[in-house]
């Protein structure tokens, strides 16, 4: 019975959601996170180790709720005060997360995974299975669907929610057949001019005997070369972990965006620490050195955009996170669709070629004053004889 | 490896003969003998060098540095190197527990005598003009950072411009983690450049030597039109230690070797080091337009 009540209340709440949005009530995020309809509800065990204060406040609020229902005393003022405090605390913690804390948030068990995005963002999704060679890898899901009004081919890495799903998809580590499936479906999309959207969330490509026998390296390499010349727009978004070659295997495109607390790295922090220090427990320091957070990568001009996450990370408010991602995809697709495909490919090539050389070049352009830049551009313009004659 | 260290006499003149020759073993002239990791034979070093750094007993191919590789591969004095002075400028300011990337580069420069992990240039192989890109295994494990990516892309551009076949000798542990996502991006960059070469109709021969793993094997190394492997080389994506640690199973013998790759259909041929020149020349001749 309480579950049904909760569902009803949640439905009602969904309707007045926009009013909440306009009012920008400070505890809105917390309220949504605690909704009974929310699969990803934060419970006591889900707090990360740097969120102790928030966990305490959560516990106190729960206690007050319990007391008010048992004794019938109105504690609403107290609860409101606690929630305000909690929001302030979350803001403080999440506005300056360090690299290792970001990695922990990106790996949070309640963080929205690909299936959440498929449920909430993609309309009329039709999954396409199989690589026509060996099998169907569950770690990479491909299929047609609508995002906004656009039809797209969605390619994404799936980690699985429960143990059974996790084992079926190797904890999000794709095998070669997954990469071959992805490129096969992308070629299909290319044939009919359907844009490609890839959602990246993997700790890395699977290191196993079977994967090596079936050519993991070759599968990823082929994806890289084919995606760099695919004649449709490609948008890549890192929604959780972006681990090394496994992420890059579906991560070459016109735009690369990252969720605010996702990470993208050449090697896992544990792996880096194990190589340099022969001790995997030094991972926090390695994470700091690898510059794997969205902010650092944006500064280095290695990602094109950061998609903001709601207060307290994606796992506290799945709905808003996915809404932000959808908004970004719709906006960027509109922009990319306006560009001619030849120009798109040329820009993509230029973008890939300038990786690593980017920051210095762009800084130099910034330091040149705007006036001089306009003058130089005007000089470089070829004289148009037609225009001149009309003026004379 | 090829440097000949001067052999010290067992007793220096100043010490004189003291009636005994019971000098400890460490005074043995160093660098004269070596043990083959394949068959554990003690080998005379100059004999191995004469045999193109291949064990005369068991055909174990030793790792060789770029300069020697070029000497074996290209016609005498035909290699014209470009971009030899290019160095990295540490995009991340990498610092881990007090050791910096810059220090590591300096120490590896001293150790290997190379400026970066790749050398590129125009060369002739048995009279056929090719563009050559050779990796240096002793410089940070031959890992691919910004400079290696940039050099490889330049080699591709030159090959397209001059309509030459491109020959790359791969020998690398993967992407260079000191450069973070910049080095990961080099995988995409080199692949995109190879797409251009492919569209221009150029030939790309990739020679896989011990070891070719990680980011390099998952990008340009595996994208060759023709793939040649040296016998017994380690070729794969994840390193054998990583795989063993992940799946907690002992790996089968001969796993991730050239022979394994040939059996599973990922390389065209396995060629002995002494035949490499003639095989490349033959392929270049066949793939002429």
């Amino acid at each position: 019975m309480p579950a049904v009540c909760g569902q009803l209340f949640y439905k009602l709440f969904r309707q007045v959601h926009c009013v909440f949005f306009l009012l920008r009530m400070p505890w809105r995020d917390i309220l949504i996170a605690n909704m009974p309809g929310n699969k990803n509800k934060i419970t006591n065990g889900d707090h990360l180790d740097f969120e102790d204060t928030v966990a305490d406040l959560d516990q106190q609020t729960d206690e007050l709720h319990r007391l008010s229902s048992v004794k019938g005393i109105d504690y609403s003022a107290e609860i409101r005060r606690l929630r305000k405090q909690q929001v302030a605390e979350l803001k403080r913690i999440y506005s300056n997360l360090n690299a290792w804390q970001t990695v922990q948030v990106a790996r949070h068990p309640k963080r929205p995974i690909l299936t959440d995005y498929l449920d909430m963002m993609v309309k009329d999704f039709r999954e396409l299975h199989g690589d026509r060679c060996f099998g169907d890898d569950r770690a990479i899901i491909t299929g047609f669907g609508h995002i906004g009004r656009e039809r797209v081919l969605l390619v994404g890495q799936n980690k699985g929610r429960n143990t059974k799903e996790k084992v079926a998809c190797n904890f999000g580590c794709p095998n070669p057949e997954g990469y071959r499936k992805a490129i096969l479906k992308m070629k299909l999309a290319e044939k009919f001019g359907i844009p490609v959207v890839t959602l990246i969330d993997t700790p890395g490509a699977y290191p196993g005997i079977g994967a090596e026998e079936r050519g993991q390296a070759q599968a990823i390499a082929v994806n890289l070369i084919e995606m760099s010349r695919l004649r449709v727009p490609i948008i890549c978004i890192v929604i959780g972990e972006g681990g090394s070659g496994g992420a890059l295997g579906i991560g070459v495109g016109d735009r690369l965006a990252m969720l605010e607390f996702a990470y993208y790295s050449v090697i896992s922090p544990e792996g880096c620490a194990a190589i340099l220090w022969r001790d995997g427990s030094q991972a926090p320091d390695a994470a700091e050195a690898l510059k794997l957070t969205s902010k650092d990568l944006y500064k280095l001009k290695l990602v094109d955009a950061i998609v903001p996450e709601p207060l307290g990370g994606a796992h506290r408010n799945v709905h808003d996170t996915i809404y932000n991602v959808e908004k970004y995809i719709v906006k960027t697709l509109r922009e990319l669709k306006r560009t001619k495909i030849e120009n798109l490919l040329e820009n993509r090539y230029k973008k890939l070629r300038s990786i690593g050389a980017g920051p210095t070049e762009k800084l130099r352009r910034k330091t040149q004053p705007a006036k001089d830049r306009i003058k130089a551009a005007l000089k470089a313009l070829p004289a148009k004889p037609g225009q001149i004659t009309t003026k004379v | 490896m090829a440097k000949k260290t001067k052999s010290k006499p067992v007793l220096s003149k100043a010490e004189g003969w003291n009636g005994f020759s019971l000098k400890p073993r460490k005074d043995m002239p160093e660098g004269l003998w070596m043990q083959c990791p394949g068959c554990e034979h003690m080998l005379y070093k100059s004999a191995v060098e004469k045999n193109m750094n291949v064990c005369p007993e068991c055909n174990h191919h030793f790792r060789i540095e770029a300069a020697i590789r070029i000497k074996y591969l290209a016609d005498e004095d035909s290699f014209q190197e470009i971009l030899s002075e290019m160095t990295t400028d540490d995009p991340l300011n990498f610092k881990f527990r007090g050791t910096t990337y810059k220090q590591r580069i300096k120490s590896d420069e001293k150790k290997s005598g190379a400026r970066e992990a790749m050398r590129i240039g125009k060369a002739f192989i048995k009279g056929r003009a090719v563009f050559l890109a050779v990796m240096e295994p002793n410089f940070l494990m031959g890992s691919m950072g910004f400079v290696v990516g940039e050099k490889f892309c330049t080699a591709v551009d030159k090959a397209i411009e001059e309509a030459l076949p491109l020959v790359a000798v791969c020998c690398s542990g993967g992407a260079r983690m000191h450069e973070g996502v910049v080095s990961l991006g080099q995988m995409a960059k080199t692949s995109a450049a190879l797409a251009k070469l492919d569209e221009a109709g150029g030939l790309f021969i990739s020679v896989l030597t011990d070891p070719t793993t990680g980011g390099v094997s998952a990008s340009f190394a595996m994208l060759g039109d023709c793939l040649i492997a040296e016998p017994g080389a380690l070729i794969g994506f994840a390193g054998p230690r990583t795989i063993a640690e992940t799946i907690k199973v002992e790996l089968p013998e001969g796993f991730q070797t050239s022979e394994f790759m040939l059996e599973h259909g990922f390389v065209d041929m396995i060629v002995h080091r002494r035949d490499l020149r003639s095989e490349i020349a033959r392929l270049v001749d066949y793939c002429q337009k």
Side-chain angles (χ1 to χ4, degrees), chain A residues 55-88:
Chain A
D56 279 352
L57 288 168
D58 259 351
Q59 212 175 355
Q60 283 176 32
T61 326
D62 282 354
E63 188 70 8
L64 281 180
H65 267 301
R66 199 181 59 79
L67 277 178
S68 65
S69 63
V70 169
K71 292 187 177 171
I73 309 166
D74 185 19
Y75 284 116
S76 57
E78 280 292 298
I79 292 174
R80 209 171 298 152
R81 191 181 60 77
L82 281 178
R83 274 188 184 147
K84 264 187 187 167
Q85 219 175 320
Q86 195 183 14
V87 168

Side-chain angles (χ1 to χ4, degrees), chain B residues 54-80:
Chain B
V54 176
C55 170
E57 305 288 332
C58 70
N59 262 344
H60 175 85
H61 285 54
F62 290 96
R63 285 179 198 176
I64 51 175
E65 57 191 71
I68 297 172
R69 172 71 68 181
I70 292 165
K71 200 177 91 189
Y72 289 163
L73 212 54
D75 296 345
E76 213 175 342
D77 294 332
S78 73
F79 185 68
Q80 302 158 12

Side-chain angles (χ1 to χ4, degrees), chain A residues 2 11 86 121 270 288 320 388:
Chain A
K11 269 180 192 162
Q86 195 183 14
M121 183 173 79
E270 288 87 351
E288 208 65 58
D320 275 16
I388 294 166

Side-chain angles (χ1 to χ4, degrees), chain B residues 95-259:
Chain B
K95 196 178 169 189
F96 182 75
R97 299 254 142 183
T99 51
T100 61
Y101 178 34
K102 277 179 184 155
Q103 284 172 356
R104 182 77 203 272
I105 289 178
K106 258 184 201 163
S107 73
D108 270 45
E109 252 175 39
K110 253 183 216 165
K111 227 192 299 172
S112 65
R115 296 297 299 270
E116 250 299 335
M118 185 180 256
R119 293 177 71 175
I120 57 168
K122 195 179 161 181
F124 288 87
I125 295 178
K126 287 209 163 180
R128 284 92 171 158
V130 295
F131 220 89
L132 202 60
V134 180
M135 297 194 83
E136 177 76 63
N138 299 329
F139 190 88
L140 273 111
M141 278 293 288
S143 57
M144 172 163 69
F146 169 69
V147 176
V148 172
E150 190 59 35
K151 278 189 173 182
F152 185 81
C153 288
T154 313
V156 174
D157 287 349
K158 290 272 177 192
I160 296 172
E161 206 177 284
E162 299 178 31
L164 294 176
L166 175 67
V167 178
V169 182
C170 310
C171 180
S172 166
R176 189 173 297 171
M177 67 184 171
H178 306 80
E179 290 186 20
V181 179
V182 173
S183 70
L184 192 63
Q186 304 309 313
M187 291 167 66
K189 179 170 150 180
T190 50
S191 306
L194 282 175
K196 295 269 170 198
L197 180 70
D198 190 33
E199 275 153 31
L203 170 70
F204 172 39
I205 298 172
S206 176
V207 182
L208 312 175
T209 67
D210 185 61
T212 305
T213 55
V216 170
S217 75
S219 59
F220 64 86
M222 280 290 173
L223 291 173
D225 298 311
C226 298
L227 289 169
I228 304 174
E230 277 195 341
L234 172 74
I235 303 166
F237 178 64
R241 207 151 39 116
T242 320
I243 297 176
E245 273 169 24
T246 313
I247 59 172
K248 311 263 189 285
V249 173
E250 208 169 300
L251 298 175
E253 198 154 308
F255 182 62
Q256 288 188 320
T257 56
S258 309
E259 292 75 17

Side-chain angles (χ1 to χ4, degrees), chain A residues 264-282:
Chain A
Y264 188 34
S265 173
V266 66
I267 186 169
S268 70
E270 288 87 351
C272 177
I275 292 174
L276 286 183
W277 205 252
R278 309 229 170 272
D279 181 6
S281 61
Q282 305 294 330

